[in-house]
Amino acid sequence: MLKITLIKSAVHRLPKQRKIVKELGLGRVNSSVVLPNNEATRGAIFHIAHLIEVEEVK
């Protein structure tokens, strides 16, 4: 499992990046979600890596 925390705002980003942030369940800055560590999640993380912080949890 991966804990994903939104560190920077997605307000003035590309529409694709804003959509990914919303679909991951991240709303405001410092909001966090725990998602499974699979290829779909990793692909989304790749696109918005500059906006988030990721840590592995069990």
Side-chain angles (χ1 to χ4, degrees):
M1 299 297 280
L2 297 173
K3 181 180 180 185
I4 304 168
T5 306
L6 187 63
I7 299 300
K8 294 185 179 179
S9 176
V11 172
H12 294 287
R13 304 296 174 174
L14 295 172
K16 182 178 179 180
Q17 292 174 356
R18 289 196 306 257
K19 184 178 177 185
I20 291 170
V21 169
K22 186 176 179 181
E23 288 176 352
L24 286 178
L26 299 168
R28 298 171 183 244
V29 174
N30 290 326
S31 62
S32 297
V33 292
V34 177
L35 297 172
N37 186 4
N38 58 29
E39 291 180 12
T41 305
R42 286 282 178 185
I45 289 171
F46 177 78
H47 288 290
I48 59 167
H50 56 290
L51 301 176
I52 60 174
E53 182 178 275
V54 180
E55 58 186 89
E56 194 166 349
V57 296
K58 296 183 178 178

